[in-house]
Amino acid sequence: MSGTARAFPAPLLAVRALRRAVAAVATVMAYLAGWAYLACAVFMTFDIVARAFFGFSSQATVEVTGYTLAGGIAWALAHTLFRRAHIRVDVFVNRLPVRLRAPLHVLSLAMLTALAVLVTWVAWDLVAESELFNAHDNSALRIEMVWPQGIWAFGVSIFAIACIVLLLESILVLLAGQGALLDGLLGSRTLEDETEEALEAVAMAHEGEQR
C-alpha cells in the first residue's frame, strides 16, 4: 500500500470525489446566478428607460428583481461554501493550535449543516403550500409562486447537500488525524489564497483580451 493510500483511505477518497462533483455543480450554479444578476440589471435599465422616455413599464420590476436576488443568493451558497468565502468571525479560533481548531471547524460546519437542512425543509414546505393554494404574486405578470420559490428551494437544497458532503469529508479527515488538512479545508482563507485567486482572475482577463 502506498503512502498516499495510507494517508487517504478509500472512504475519504470516495467522499472527496463526491465533494468535487458537488462543487462542480455548485460552480455552474454560481455562474448562472451571476448571469441572472446581469440580466436583471439589463431588465431594470430597460424598465427605467421605457418608463422615462416611452411612457410604459413592465410593472413587475420589484417582483422580478426580488425573485432574481433570492434565487441568485440561494444558487451561489454552495459555491461560496466550497470557496470558503462566507463571512465569519474567527479572531479567537485562529489563535488556537490546529489540534483544537480542527474539531471546532467541524462543530461549526455541523451547526451550519443543521441550519441548511432546516431551511431546505421549510423551503420545500413553502413550495408545497403555494402549489396547494395556487398562489400567484400581485404583479401584472401574475407569476405562479411555485416557480420562484422552487428555484430558491433548489438552490438551498444544493447548499444543504454541499454541507452534508463537506461535513462527512471533514469528519473522515479529522478521524484520520489530518488536522492541518482539515484546517485548510474549512479554515479562513489566507492571504496566499486571496493572492492566488487574484492572479487567476488577472490571467483569465488576459486570456479574454487575447481572444
Side-chain angles (χ1 to χ4, degrees):
M1 184 180 295
S2 64
T4 303
R6 285 195 298 271
F8 304 107
L12 178 56
L13 293 176
V15 174
R16 176 167 293 182
L18 179 60
R19 188 252 298 172
R20 288 173 177 167
V22 177
V25 174
T27 300
V28 174
M29 292 177 63
Y31 275 111
L32 291 175
W35 282 108
Y37 280 172
L38 180 60
C40 184
V42 172
F43 171 69
M44 292 177 62
T45 303
F46 168 79
D47 217 40
I48 293 172
V49 172
R51 186 184 300 112
F53 297 101
F54 303 106
F56 72 92
S57 70
S58 66
Q59 300 181 3
T61 307
V62 175
E63 289 79 6
V64 172
T65 54
Y67 300 150
T68 304
L69 178 63
I73 291 174
W75 278 46
L77 283 174
H79 178 68
T80 307
L81 174 68
F82 287 126
R83 297 290 295 178
R84 295 180 293 152
H86 282 118
I87 297 174
R88 61 176 73 185
V89 181
D90 51 9
V91 177
F92 297 106
V93 173
N94 287 338
R95 297 178 181 273
L96 297 175
V98 174
R99 61 183 179 83
L100 296 178
R101 192 162 65 236
L104 289 177
H105 285 324
V106 175
L107 176 61
S108 64
L109 180 58
M111 296 175 66
L112 179 63
T113 302
L115 177 62
V117 171
L118 176 61
V119 173
T120 300
W121 177 77
V122 173
W124 286 112
D125 187 62
L126 179 63
V127 173
E129 183 177 323
S130 296
E131 183 179 13
L132 176 63
F133 292 102
N134 193 26
H136 293 69
D137 66 12
N138 294 323
S139 70
L141 300 178
R142 297 289 294 166
I143 300 174
E144 295 183 26
M145 293 303 298
V146 294
W147 292 109
Q149 290 174 354
I151 293 173
W152 167 69
F154 179 76
V156 174
S157 300
I158 298 300
F159 175 59
I161 293 173
C163 287
I164 293 172
V165 172
L166 190 58
L167 177 61
L168 181 56
E169 180 181 0
S170 301
I171 292 174
L172 292 175
V173 171
L174 184 62
L175 293 177
Q178 301 284 344
L181 179 61
L182 179 59
D183 191 54
L185 184 65
L186 299 181
S188 299
R189 293 169 61 86
T190 63
L191 179 61
E192 289 75 14
D193 294 330
E194 299 289 350
T195 303
E196 182 180 354
E197 182 175 346
L199 292 175
E200 290 178 357
V202 171
M204 292 176 62
H206 285 315
E207 290 179 1
E209 292 176 357
Q210 292 176 356
R211 293 177 183 176

